Amino acid sequence: MASPWKAARVRSATATIFAEMSALAVATNSVNLGQGFPDTDGPEFMLDEAMAAIASGINQYPPGKGIAPLRKAIADHCERRYGLNYDPDTEVLVTTGATEALAAAILAFVDPGDEVIALEPFYDSYAASIELAGGVRVGVGLFGPDFRLDLDEFGAAFSPRTKVLLINSPHNPTGVVLSYDELDEIARLAVANDVLVICDEVYEHLIFDGAKHLPLAAFPGMRNRTVRISSAGKTFSATGWKIGWALCTPELISEVTAVKQFLTYVSGAPFQPAVARALNEGDAWVETQRADLERKRDRLAEGLSDLGLTPSVPRGTYFMTTDVTPLGYADGVEFCRDLPTRCGVVAIPHQVFYDRVDAGRPYVRWAFCKQDHVLDEGIARLSKLRG
Ligand SMILES: Cc1ncc(COP(=O)(O)O)c(C=O)c1O
């Protein structure tokens, strides 16, 4: 029950569905295909670097904007991968995960009543951060079964109150990767309407079928109006380290930094040299991991198809979506609440990511960033649903 002292500003902030489902997974000894975290570690040299950092006394507050070698590694990585140049001293901020970069950017640029256009379904922290800022969410739907962006709807979402576009590609939970043409049109609209863009690219390296990640900041007119956000969590299988970053102009980065310093002040000291090393030396590891994930994606798609479901096979992220109607459920929340006791598997209902709940009602998200034997066990357990 909500406390009578709860602030109206955070009225919809409750325990996330991920916490609820992960707790249910532990309580029922279920295979957790719900929350998006891998069940294997990142590169060994990165783990060793963090342990060495702790042992050598790197345990006190690091610089607020992040240690210089990490800021340089982030800028170098961006240049090497995408040809985008950022000054490590003035245009890079290290944050406590992408989540803090998103929150700090939204709080820095959104005033009460400002509209923020975001792709709906939204990653859950977007809704909460926009609400904290007093902003108004304006969703542009990626609706099943194909979850394609409707550019006419996108264009029609702008109003004189639009201040920020919040774009996420590869997109959680749908796995959609926006195409060159879609990004080009988003960029055109951003420039024409003179809005700021916050671009969440945490899945930039989890991309399949030969697709290429295209940072929105690289499109014409976008470099100086885009806050480019990513993190080490997904790329290096270290979601618990919470090292993220934001890249943009010195003017924009100093506004985001001003907010960040009062959210967490600084971010995990011993993880920073380790992530710097991973960014500098981890390209081969990332590619192996990516290829492995693509194979896992196909393994899960096959298992879900065998159950009579039609998975939306993603081109990015580590999430796959199915409509669970063929299993006798019209409502994904009901399905996900029943699933652990019916067969010992946990998944996440799509509708929690939507304002327009009905659009997400029959869909469920499955994470495939798990060891093969875990995926196989999950699929074997799900086969009980066939009755
Ligand atoms: C789209 C998206 N953005 C941001 C995050 C959070 O990233 P971090 O763990 O680095 O805060 C996630 C995590 O699931 C995500 O899916």
Side-chain angles (χ1 to χ4, degrees), residues 30-82:
S30 288
V31 173
N32 190 352
L33 304 183
Q35 200 168 4
F37 60 84
D39 59 358
T40 49
D41 279 329
E44 223 170 284
F45 68 82
M46 177 185 84
L47 306 178
D48 290 345
E49 191 77 34
M51 288 187 276
I54 291 174
S56 70
I58 301 183
N59 300 306
Q60 309 308 327
Y61 296 132
K65 59 185 180 179
I67 61 168
L70 177 54
R71 283 183 280 110
K72 180 166 181 342
I74 292 165
D76 286 351
H77 169 265
C78 201
E79 219 234 302
R80 190 171 72 242
R81 294 291 190 132
Y82 310 116

Coordinates of all heavy atoms in Angstrom, one line a residue, residues 30-82:
S30 N 12.7 -20.8 -10.5 CA 12.4 -20.8 -11.9 C 13.6 -20.4 -12.8 O 14.5 -19.8 -12.3 CB 11.3 -19.8 -12.2 OG 10.0 -20.2 -11.7
V31 N 13.5 -20.8 -14.1 CA 14.5 -20.3 -15.0 C 14.1 -18.9 -15.4 O 13.0 -18.6 -15.8 CB 14.4 -21.2 -16.3 CG1 15.3 -20.6 -17.4 CG2 14.8 -22.7 -16.0
N32 N 15.0 -18.0 -15.1 CA 14.7 -16.6 -15.3 C 15.0 -16.1 -16.7 O 16.1 -15.7 -17.0 CB 15.5 -15.7 -14.2 CG 15.0 -14.3 -14.2 OD1 14.2 -13.9 -15.0 ND2 15.5 -13.6 -13.2
L33 N 14.0 -16.1 -17.5 CA 14.2 -15.5 -18.9 C 13.5 -14.1 -18.9 O 13.1 -13.6 -19.9 CB 13.5 -16.4 -19.9 CG 14.0 -17.8 -20.0 CD1 13.4 -18.6 -21.1 CD2 15.6 -17.9 -20.1
G34 N 13.4 -13.5 -17.7 CA 12.7 -12.2 -17.5 C 13.7 -11.1 -17.6 O 13.9 -10.5 -18.7
Q35 N 14.4 -10.8 -16.5 CA 15.2 -9.6 -16.5 C 16.4 -9.8 -17.4 O 17.0 -10.9 -17.5 CB 15.7 -9.4 -15.0 CG 16.2 -8.0 -14.8 CD 16.4 -7.6 -13.3 OE1 16.2 -8.5 -12.5 NE2 16.7 -6.4 -13.0
G36 N 16.8 -8.6 -18.0 CA 17.9 -8.7 -19.0 C 19.3 -8.6 -18.4 O 19.9 -7.6 -18.5
F37 N 19.7 -9.7 -17.9 CA 21.2 -9.7 -17.5 C 21.7 -11.1 -17.8 O 21.1 -12.1 -17.7 CB 21.3 -9.4 -16.0 CG 20.6 -10.4 -15.0 CD1 21.2 -11.6 -14.7 CD2 19.4 -10.1 -14.5 CE1 20.6 -12.5 -13.8 CE2 18.7 -11.0 -13.7 CZ 19.3 -12.2 -13.4
P38 N 23.0 -11.1 -18.3 CA 23.6 -12.4 -18.7 C 23.9 -13.2 -17.5 O 24.2 -12.7 -16.4 CB 24.9 -11.9 -19.4 CG 24.9 -10.5 -19.5 CD 23.9 -9.9 -18.5
D39 N 24.0 -14.5 -17.7 CA 24.4 -15.4 -16.6 C 25.9 -15.9 -16.7 O 26.2 -16.9 -16.1 CB 23.4 -16.5 -16.4 CG 23.3 -17.4 -17.6 OD1 24.0 -17.1 -18.6 OD2 22.6 -18.4 -17.6
T40 N 26.7 -15.1 -17.5 CA 28.1 -15.4 -17.6 C 28.8 -14.1 -17.4 O 28.2 -13.0 -17.6 CB 28.5 -16.1 -18.9 OG1 27.9 -15.3 -19.9 CG2 28.0 -17.5 -19.0
D41 N 30.1 -14.1 -17.1 CA 30.9 -12.9 -16.9 C 31.4 -12.3 -18.1 O 31.6 -12.9 -19.1 CB 32.0 -13.1 -15.9 CG 31.5 -13.2 -14.4 OD1 30.5 -12.5 -14.1 OD2 32.1 -13.9 -13.6
G42 N 31.8 -11.0 -18.0 CA 32.5 -10.3 -19.1 C 34.0 -10.8 -19.2 O 34.4 -11.8 -18.5
P43 N 34.8 -10.1 -20.1 CA 36.1 -10.6 -20.3 C 37.0 -10.7 -19.1 O 36.9 -9.8 -18.2 CB 36.7 -9.5 -21.3 CG 35.7 -8.4 -21.3 CD 34.4 -8.9 -20.8
E44 N 37.8 -11.7 -19.0 CA 38.5 -12.0 -17.8 C 39.5 -10.8 -17.5 O 39.7 -10.5 -16.3 CB 39.3 -13.3 -18.0 CG 39.3 -14.1 -16.7 CD 39.8 -15.5 -17.0 OE1 39.1 -16.3 -17.6 OE2 41.0 -15.8 -16.6
F45 N 40.1 -10.3 -18.5 CA 41.1 -9.2 -18.3 C 40.4 -8.0 -17.7 O 41.0 -7.3 -16.9 CB 41.9 -8.8 -19.6 CG 41.0 -8.2 -20.6 CD1 40.7 -6.8 -20.6 CD2 40.5 -8.9 -21.7 CE1 40.0 -6.2 -21.6 CE2 39.8 -8.3 -22.7 CZ 39.5 -7.0 -22.6
M46 N 39.1 -7.8 -18.0 CA 38.4 -6.7 -17.4 C 38.1 -6.9 -15.9 O 38.3 -6.1 -15.0 CB 37.1 -6.5 -18.1 CG 36.2 -5.4 -17.6 SD 34.6 -5.3 -18.4 CE 33.7 -6.5 -17.5
L47 N 37.7 -8.2 -15.6 CA 37.5 -8.5 -14.2 C 38.8 -8.4 -13.4 O 38.8 -7.9 -12.3 CB 36.9 -10.0 -14.1 CG 35.7 -10.3 -15.0 CD1 35.3 -11.8 -14.8 CD2 34.5 -9.4 -14.6
D48 N 39.9 -8.9 -14.0 CA 41.2 -8.8 -13.3 C 41.6 -7.4 -13.0 O 42.1 -7.1 -11.9 CB 42.3 -9.5 -14.1 CG 42.1 -11.0 -14.2 OD1 41.3 -11.6 -13.4 OD2 42.7 -11.6 -15.1
E49 N 41.3 -6.5 -13.9 CA 41.6 -5.1 -13.8 C 40.9 -4.5 -12.6 O 41.4 -3.7 -11.8 CB 41.3 -4.4 -15.1 CG 41.9 -3.0 -15.2 CD 43.4 -2.9 -15.5 OE1 43.9 -3.8 -16.2 OE2 44.0 -2.0 -15.0
A50 N 39.6 -4.8 -12.5 CA 38.8 -4.3 -11.4 C 39.3 -4.8 -10.0 O 39.4 -4.1 -9.1 CB 37.3 -4.6 -11.6
M51 N 39.6 -6.1 -10.0 CA 40.2 -6.7 -8.7 C 41.5 -6.0 -8.4 O 41.7 -5.7 -7.2 CB 40.3 -8.2 -8.8 CG 38.9 -8.8 -8.8 SD 38.8 -10.6 -8.8 CE 39.1 -11.0 -10.5
A52 N 42.3 -5.8 -9.4 CA 43.6 -5.2 -9.1 C 43.4 -3.8 -8.7 O 44.2 -3.3 -7.8 CB 44.5 -5.2 -10.4
A53 N 42.4 -3.1 -9.2 CA 42.2 -1.7 -8.8 C 41.8 -1.7 -7.3 O 42.3 -0.8 -6.6 CB 41.1 -1.1 -9.7
I54 N 40.9 -2.6 -6.9 CA 40.5 -2.6 -5.5 C 41.8 -2.9 -4.6 O 42.0 -2.2 -3.6 CB 39.4 -3.6 -5.2 CG1 38.1 -3.2 -5.9 CG2 39.2 -3.9 -3.7 CD1 37.0 -4.2 -5.9
A55 N 42.6 -3.9 -5.1 CA 43.7 -4.3 -4.3 C 44.8 -3.1 -4.2 O 45.5 -3.0 -3.2 CB 44.4 -5.5 -4.9
S56 N 44.8 -2.3 -5.2 CA 45.8 -1.3 -5.2 C 45.3 0.0 -4.6 O 46.0 1.1 -4.7 CB 46.4 -1.0 -6.6 OG 45.4 -0.4 -7.4
G57 N 44.1 0.0 -4.0 CA 43.7 1.2 -3.3 C 42.8 2.2 -4.1 O 42.7 3.3 -3.6
I58 N 42.3 1.8 -5.2 CA 41.5 2.7 -6.0 C 40.0 2.5 -5.5 O 39.2 1.9 -6.1 CB 41.6 2.4 -7.5 CG1 43.0 2.6 -7.9 CG2 40.7 3.4 -8.3 CD1 43.3 2.4 -9.4
N59 N 39.8 3.1 -4.3 CA 38.5 2.8 -3.6 C 37.9 4.1 -3.1 O 36.9 4.0 -2.4 CB 38.8 1.9 -2.4 CG 39.3 0.5 -2.9 OD1 38.7 -0.1 -3.8 ND2 40.5 0.1 -2.4
Q60 N 38.5 5.2 -3.4 CA 37.9 6.5 -2.9 C 37.2 7.2 -4.1 O 37.3 6.8 -5.2 CB 39.0 7.4 -2.2 CG 39.8 6.6 -1.2 CD 38.9 5.9 -0.1 OE1 37.8 6.4 0.2 NE2 39.4 4.8 0.4
Y61 N 36.6 8.4 -3.8 CA 35.9 9.1 -4.8 C 36.8 9.4 -6.0 O 37.8 10.0 -5.9 CB 35.5 10.5 -4.3 CG 34.5 10.5 -3.2 CD1 34.7 11.3 -2.0 CD2 33.3 9.8 -3.3 CE1 33.7 11.3 -1.0 CE2 32.3 9.8 -2.2 CZ 32.6 10.6 -1.1 OH 31.6 10.6 -0.1
P62 N 36.4 9.0 -7.2 CA 37.1 9.4 -8.4 C 36.6 10.7 -8.8 O 35.7 11.3 -8.2 CB 36.7 8.3 -9.4 CG 35.3 7.9 -9.0 CD 35.2 8.1 -7.5
P63 N 37.3 11.3 -9.9 CA 36.8 12.6 -10.4 C 35.3 12.5 -10.8 O 34.9 11.5 -11.3 CB 37.6 12.9 -11.6 CG 38.8 12.0 -11.4 CD 38.4 10.8 -10.6
G64 N 34.6 13.6 -10.5 CA 33.1 13.6 -10.8 C 32.8 13.3 -12.2 O 31.8 12.6 -12.5
K65 N 33.6 13.7 -13.2 CA 33.2 13.4 -14.6 C 33.8 12.1 -15.1 O 33.6 11.7 -16.2 CB 33.6 14.6 -15.5 CG 35.0 14.9 -15.6 CD 35.2 16.2 -16.5 CE 36.7 16.6 -16.5 NZ 36.9 17.7 -17.4
G66 N 34.5 11.4 -14.2 CA 35.0 10.1 -14.5 C 36.5 10.2 -14.7 O 37.0 11.3 -15.0
I67 N 37.3 9.1 -14.5 CA 38.7 9.2 -14.6 C 39.1 9.4 -16.1 O 38.4 9.0 -17.0 CB 39.4 7.9 -14.1 CG1 39.0 6.6 -14.9 CG2 39.1 7.7 -12.6 CD1 39.9 5.4 -14.6
A68 N 40.2 10.1 -16.2 CA 40.7 10.5 -17.6 C 40.8 9.4 -18.5 O 40.4 9.4 -19.7 CB 41.9 11.4 -17.5
P69 N 41.5 8.2 -18.1 CA 41.7 7.1 -19.0 C 40.3 6.5 -19.5 O 40.2 6.1 -20.7 CB 42.5 6.1 -18.2 CG 43.1 6.9 -17.1 CD 42.1 8.0 -16.8
L70 N 39.3 6.6 -18.7 CA 38.0 6.0 -19.1 C 37.4 7.0 -20.1 O 36.8 6.6 -21.1 CB 37.1 5.7 -17.9 CG 35.7 5.3 -18.3 CD1 35.7 4.0 -19.2 CD2 34.8 5.0 -17.1
R71 N 37.4 8.3 -19.8 CA 36.8 9.3 -20.7 C 37.5 9.2 -22.1 O 36.9 9.2 -23.1 CB 36.9 10.7 -20.1 CG 35.8 10.9 -19.1 CD 35.8 12.3 -18.5 NE 36.8 12.5 -17.5 CZ 37.9 13.3 -17.7 NH1 38.0 13.9 -18.8 NH2 38.8 13.4 -16.8
K72 N 38.8 9.0 -22.0 CA 39.6 8.9 -23.3 C 39.2 7.6 -24.0 O 38.9 7.6 -25.3 CB 41.1 8.9 -23.0 CG 41.9 8.8 -24.3 CD 43.3 9.1 -24.1 CE 44.2 9.0 -25.4 NZ 43.7 8.3 -26.5
A73 N 39.0 6.5 -23.3 CA 38.6 5.2 -23.9 C 37.3 5.3 -24.5 O 37.0 4.8 -25.6 CB 38.7 4.1 -22.9
I74 N 36.3 6.0 -23.9 CA 35.0 6.2 -24.4 C 35.0 7.0 -25.7 O 34.4 6.6 -26.7 CB 34.1 6.9 -23.4 CG1 33.8 5.9 -22.2 CG2 32.7 7.3 -24.0 CD1 33.3 6.6 -20.9
A75 N 35.8 8.1 -25.7 CA 35.9 8.9 -26.9 C 36.6 8.1 -28.0 O 36.1 8.2 -29.2 CB 36.6 10.2 -26.6
D76 N 37.7 7.4 -27.7 CA 38.4 6.6 -28.7 C 37.5 5.6 -29.4 O 37.5 5.3 -30.6 CB 39.6 5.9 -28.1 CG 40.7 6.9 -27.8 OD1 40.6 8.1 -28.2 OD2 41.7 6.5 -27.1
H77 N 36.7 4.9 -28.5 CA 35.8 3.8 -29.0 C 34.8 4.4 -29.9 O 34.5 3.8 -31.0 CB 35.2 3.2 -27.7 CG 34.0 2.3 -28.0 ND1 32.7 2.7 -28.0 CD2 34.0 1.0 -28.3 CE1 32.0 1.7 -28.3 NE2 32.7 0.6 -28.5
C78 N 34.3 5.6 -29.6 CA 33.3 6.2 -30.4 C 33.9 6.6 -31.8 O 33.2 6.5 -32.8 CB 32.7 7.4 -29.7 SG 31.1 7.9 -30.2
E79 N 35.1 7.1 -31.7 CA 35.7 7.5 -33.0 C 36.1 6.2 -33.9 O 35.8 6.2 -35.1 CB 37.0 8.2 -32.6 CG 37.3 9.4 -33.6 CD 38.6 9.3 -34.2 OE1 39.6 9.3 -33.5 OE2 38.7 9.3 -35.5
R80 N 36.6 5.2 -33.2 CA 37.0 4.0 -33.9 C 35.8 3.3 -34.5 O 35.8 2.8 -35.7 CB 37.7 3.1 -32.9 CG 38.4 1.9 -33.5 CD 39.2 1.2 -32.4 NE 38.4 0.5 -31.4 CZ 38.3 0.7 -30.1 NH1 39.0 1.7 -29.6 NH2 37.6 0.0 -29.3
R81 N 34.7 3.2 -33.8 CA 33.5 2.5 -34.3 C 32.7 3.2 -35.3 O 32.1 2.7 -36.2 CB 32.6 2.0 -33.1 CG 33.3 1.0 -32.1 CD 33.4 -0.3 -32.8 NE 33.8 -1.3 -31.9 CZ 33.2 -2.5 -31.8 NH1 32.2 -2.8 -32.6 NH2 33.6 -3.4 -31.0
Y82 N 32.5 4.6 -35.0 CA 31.5 5.3 -35.8 C 32.1 6.6 -36.4 O 31.3 7.3 -37.1 CB 30.4 5.7 -34.8 CG 29.8 4.6 -34.0 CD1 29.9 4.6 -32.6 CD2 29.2 3.5 -34.6 CE1 29.4 3.5 -31.9 CE2 28.7 2.5 -33.9 CZ 28.8 2.5 -32.5 OH 28.3 1.4 -31.8

